[in-house]
Amino acid sequence: MEQKKFKGSSNYVASLELMNSVNIAIALEKPLLLKGEPGTGKTMLAEAISEALGKRLITWSIKSTTKAQEGLYVYDTVQRLYDSQFGEEGVDDIGKYIKLGKLGEAFSAEEQVVLLIDEIDKADLEFPNDLLWELDKMEFFINETKEVVKAKTRPIVIITSNAEKELPDAFLRRCVFHYIDFPDKGKMKEIIDVHYPDIDEVLVERAMKAFYKIRELDDIQKKPSTSELIDWIQALITSGVDVGKIVKEMPYPGVLLKKNEDLDTLKAEWKTEEPEGSAN
């Protein structure tokens, strides 16, 4: 049966290049490695693929302490020791104490799933290398039970990175790579329309003007992201702010900016280019 192609979803605006990257990765049966600024929709893409293709999403959120082994399986020696002390039955069945991780869960699924390995660059440098064999061969060995877990059907693997660390070349060679550019104003308008289909067009125009002006300030350390613009628009709608004052007064800046230094920069440098009440 031919694989259904990804063409975006009801709540995710994807560029043609991004849709092509997703479909090429699926066709080549390779992980899709996504990079881009935080808040540009890398994680949401996996959710959109899951929705659009009707497949279950399994998310493995990576932390600085995450080890590759945890994604395969863990052997619960503590529980087995506890059970043996209290005379529980089946203690000799080691398989009872093998708990599959997110990767193991994806491999053992009866139907194809979407596996999101989120923010892989948070882990140590050995983490990607430790996954090379498993992601390439779609199988792993459980040493305690001498069992091989092999994927019944190859999952669609989406890997995200915020480029905090460089990933090993050997790992990169096994992936299809796509960098999600920050949306231009036209694409951002499409994204906003998906979230707020009946929104006041003047409010959108003013909010986007203020948003992009902030991103252009040289001294802003953490530029506001797409997700923060969406939240800011919700704050503007909820508060019933006068749209004529959005650019001039920049209400609720703490929704967009998350550093004291950036808020100070905004106060020092913010100027309006248009008179209050102008909608053009």
Side-chain angles (χ1 to χ4, degrees):
M1 182 177 177
E2 186 177 353
Q3 174 74 58
K4 181 179 177 182
K5 291 189 179 299
F6 175 65
K7 299 179 180 179
S9 72
S10 60
N11 60 1
Y12 191 93
V13 177
S15 67
L16 178 61
E17 293 81 2
L18 179 54
M19 288 187 282
N20 286 340
S21 292
V22 171
N23 291 318
I24 288 169
I26 293 173
L28 295 178
E29 297 186 333
K30 291 181 176 290
L32 175 61
L33 174 61
L34 298 171
K35 287 189 178 183
E37 284 187 37
T40 49
K42 300 185 295 297
T43 299
M44 287 182 63
L45 175 64
E47 298 169 359
I49 295 170
S50 170
E51 175 192 330
L53 302 186
K55 299 182 184 297
R56 180 164 66 99
L57 175 64
I58 296 174
T59 301
W60 185 11
S61 298
I62 307 303
K63 302 176 182 177
S64 60
T65 56
T66 302
K67 301 300 180 185
Q69 177 65 36
E70 298 169 16
L72 305 176
Y73 74 94
V74 292
Y75 171 37
D76 195 344
T77 55
V78 174
Q79 185 62 51
R80 189 182 183 204
L81 177 61
Y82 179 87
D83 289 348
S84 66
Q85 290 176 336
F86 287 89
E88 295 288 336
E89 295 183 1
V91 174
D92 292 337
D93 180 7
I94 296 178
K96 283 178 53 178
Y97 303 96
I98 300 295
K99 309 296 182 185
L100 292 178
K102 297 296 185 180
L103 200 61
E105 187 181 337
F107 284 10
S108 61
E110 294 296 329
E111 297 182 350
Q112 188 179 48
V113 300
V114 177
L115 172 64
L116 170 62
I117 303 177
D118 202 19
E119 298 189 329
I120 193 171
D121 51 326
K122 282 189 173 180
D124 63 43
L125 292 176
E126 291 305 313
F127 180 88
N129 285 329
D130 291 343
L131 288 180
L132 283 177
W133 170 267
E134 288 77 13
L135 289 176
D136 199 28
K137 301 299 181 182
M138 286 289 155
E139 66 180 45
F140 63 91
F141 181 69
I142 299 179
N143 188 58
E144 289 77 8
T145 61
K146 311 305 178 187
E147 173 189 5
V148 175
V149 176
K150 187 174 180 63
K152 296 180 174 65
T153 178
R154 182 177 287 266
I156 297 170
V157 181
I158 307 297
I159 303 172
T160 71
S161 169
N162 289 327
E164 293 180 8
K165 298 190 186 97
E166 286 298 322
L167 298 173
D169 288 346
F171 182 82
L172 295 174
R173 284 196 295 271
R174 287 166 168 79
C175 299
V176 173
F177 174 75
H178 184 90
Y179 186 91
I180 299 183
D181 291 314
F182 195 84
D184 60 21
K185 292 180 181 179
K187 184 62 68 177
M188 187 66 81
K189 179 64 166 59
E190 291 182 48
I191 294 170
I192 293 170
D193 287 345
V194 166
H195 289 271
Y196 305 106
D198 302 316
I199 194 170
D200 181 341
E201 292 298 320
V202 177
L203 186 151
V204 174
E205 184 269 333
R206 290 306 190 85
M208 286 180 55
K209 181 177 180 63
F211 175 77
Y212 280 98
K213 277 185 66 177
I214 291 175
R215 285 186 56 87
E216 290 169 2
L217 294 176
D218 292 335
D219 294 331
I220 295 295
Q221 297 179 24
K222 183 184 181 302
K223 297 182 184 297
S225 68
T226 303
S227 59
E228 286 158 340
L229 173 59
I230 298 301
D231 290 343
W232 189 50
I233 289 175
Q234 182 62 61
L236 296 174
I237 295 171
T238 301
S239 66
V241 69
D242 181 348
V243 296
K245 298 181 178 180
I246 291 174
V247 177
K248 182 175 182 179
E249 298 184 0
M250 255 305 301
Y252 318 117
V255 179
L256 292 171
L257 301 175
K258 307 301 169 65
K259 289 178 174 284
N260 290 338
E261 299 87 345
D262 289 344
L263 290 170
D264 291 340
T265 296
L266 181 65
K267 291 176 184 177
E269 298 191 23
W270 189 254
K271 294 180 181 179
T272 182
E273 296 177 357
E274 51 188 358
E276 183 176 335
S278 171
N280 298 312

